[in-house]
Amino acid sequence: MKIIIIGGVAGGATTAARIRRSDEKAEIILLEKGKYISYANCGLPYYIGGVIKEREKLFVQTPEAFSTRFRVDVRTENEVIFIDRKRKTVTVRQSSEDTYEESYDKLLISTGASPVRPPYRELI
Ligand SMILES: Cc1cc2nc3c(=O)[nH]c(=O)nc-3n(C[C@H](O)[C@H](O)[C@H](O)COP(=O)(O)OP(=O)(O)OC[C@H]3O[C@@H](n4cnc5c(N)ncnc54)[C@H](O)[C@@H]3O)c2cc1C
C-alpha cells in the first residue's frame, strides 16, 4: 500500500505516525511545501512573547528524525500542485521549480485551513 500525505504539520505528521504504527509495510510519503514539519504552531505566541526562548524548541521533530523513527519518506519543499484522481497521481513542484509525478493507492490531504474573513463594512 502506497500512501501519500500532503501537509506535514499536526494533521499530516500525526497521521503518518499512526499509519506506521498499524502497518509496518506501508510505503508512506509525506509531502510538505515548507521547510519544516511537525512544528508547534501553538507555541508561536509564547516564542514571540519570550516565554519560549529558543526557536528550535518549536520543532517537535526534524524531517530526518521523523523519517528515521517512523520510516516515512519525508519530502520538504515539495508542493503538490495537481491531483489526478482518475490516474491516482499527484504532481509535485520542488523548490528548484522542477516537477515530478508520484502515484498513490491512498491520498490524505492535510493542508490546513484559513479563517473566513467576513467582508469589512465601515460602521457609520
Ligand atoms: C499562533 C497559533 C496558536 C495556536 N494555538 C493553539 C492552541 O493553543 N491549541 C490548539 O489546539 N490549536 C492551536 N492552534 C491551531 C493548531 O496549530 C492547528 O489546528 C494545527 O496546526 C492544524 O494542523 P494541520 O496539520 O491541519 O494544518 P497546518 O498546521 O496548517 O499544516 C498544513 C501544512 O500543509 C502544508 N501544505 C499546504 N498546502 C500544501 C501543498 N499543496 N503541498 C504540500 N504541502 C502543503 C503547509 O505548508 C503546512 O505546513 C494555533 C495556531 C496558531 C497559528
Side-chain angles (χ1 to χ4, degrees):
M1 173 75 70
K2 182 173 174 183
I3 302 161
I4 287 185
I5 299 172
I6 312 174
V9 190
T14 306
T15 308
R18 181 75 185 90
I19 292 169
R20 173 56 70 225
R21 286 190 181 106
S22 60
D23 185 345
E24 283 182 13
K25 291 188 182 147
E27 181 185 357
I28 308 168
I29 301 174
L30 189 70
L31 300 170
E32 165 56 52
K33 72 176 176 183
K35 282 188 182 170
Y36 309 102
I37 61 155
S38 200
Y39 49 84
N41 276 316
C42 313
L44 285 172
Y46 299 99
Y47 176 63
I48 291 166
V51 178
I52 296 174
K53 306 268 185 238
E54 293 159 48
R55 185 174 173 271
E56 281 60 41
K57 290 248 158 75
L58 297 173
F59 300 110
V60 182
Q61 286 273 5
T62 63
E64 296 75 26
F66 190 84
S67 174
T68 307
R69 182 169 176 197
F70 296 106
R71 278 190 299 115
V72 170
D73 181 353
V74 179
R75 300 182 194 170
T76 53
E77 298 187 89
N78 276 246
E79 179 180 11
V80 174
I81 54 171
F82 187 71
I83 299 170
D84 188 331
R85 291 177 60 199
K86 273 197 185 143
R87 292 176 55 234
K88 290 198 163 190
T89 61
V90 292
T91 306
V92 186
R93 180 168 56 208
Q94 297 173 296
S95 54
S96 59
E97 298 292 320
D98 289 340
T99 59
Y100 65 92
E101 228 177 45
E102 193 70 66
S103 65
Y104 61 82
D105 298 311
K106 298 271 182 201
L107 179 69
L108 186 123
I109 303 172
S110 183
T111 50
S114 350
V116 175
R117 293 186 186 177
Y120 173 74
R121 287 217 183 95
E122 217 172 300
L123 297 171
I124 303 173

